[in-house]
Amino acid sequence: MIEIKISVDFSNTPGGRYIEESPNSGQQFRNDILEPKYIEAKEKNEKILVDLDDCYGFPISFLEEAFGGLARRYPKDNLLNIIEIKSEDQLSLIEKIQQYIKEANK
């Protein structure tokens, strides 16, 4: 399993939606970390565990751009089968991310 711990591999202070709007944006996380790891996981036929714990909160725009943005580029069903979300700090984020993936491009 491929693991991404956002607080360690990216930032413990996630920002807004777009790179030009704020540092540590959802767009930057998707482009620099999530999408390359997703491609790697598909090639290796593995899963990705994205750990959201130990961050100082997540703007909705960050999560939607990172995960919903990925779903606008790749098949949603495949994403939901490959990406697992871990969040002991905020359990509701798991369901929100799954919803952003499912509703991308609606």
Side-chain angles (χ1 to χ4, degrees):
M1 180 171 290
I2 296 169
E3 295 185 20
I4 300 170
K5 183 159 180 72
I6 294 178
S7 65
V8 173
D9 299 323
F10 184 66
S11 174
N12 65 352
T13 55
R17 180 177 295 273
Y18 299 117
I19 293 169
E20 61 271 5
E21 291 177 351
S22 71
N24 308 321
S25 68
Q27 181 183 33
Q28 181 183 357
F29 171 70
R30 184 191 69 230
N31 291 345
D32 295 351
I33 296 176
L34 186 59
E35 187 169 10
K37 293 293 186 186
Y38 173 74
I39 293 167
E40 178 185 346
K42 276 181 45 177
E43 290 172 353
K44 293 181 175 180
N45 199 28
E46 291 186 28
K47 290 191 176 239
I48 300 171
L49 176 65
V50 180
D51 186 340
L52 306 177
D53 290 333
D54 302 322
C55 287
Y56 292 103
F58 284 90
I60 296 301
S61 57
F62 175 95
L63 296 174
E64 200 292 320
E65 184 61 32
F67 295 95
L70 194 65
R72 287 186 282 279
R73 296 180 181 198
Y74 299 95
K76 296 172 199 158
D77 292 339
N78 204 16
L79 287 174
L80 291 169
N81 290 327
I82 292 176
I83 297 175
E84 294 182 12
I85 308 297
K86 176 185 179 236
S87 179
E88 294 178 16
D89 294 343
Q90 291 182 293
L91 290 174
S92 64
L93 292 179
I94 297 169
E95 195 171 293
K96 284 182 182 179
I97 290 170
Q98 291 170 342
Q99 180 181 351
Y100 296 143
I101 292 170
K102 290 175 187 173
E103 294 180 354
N105 278 338
K106 274 195 173 179

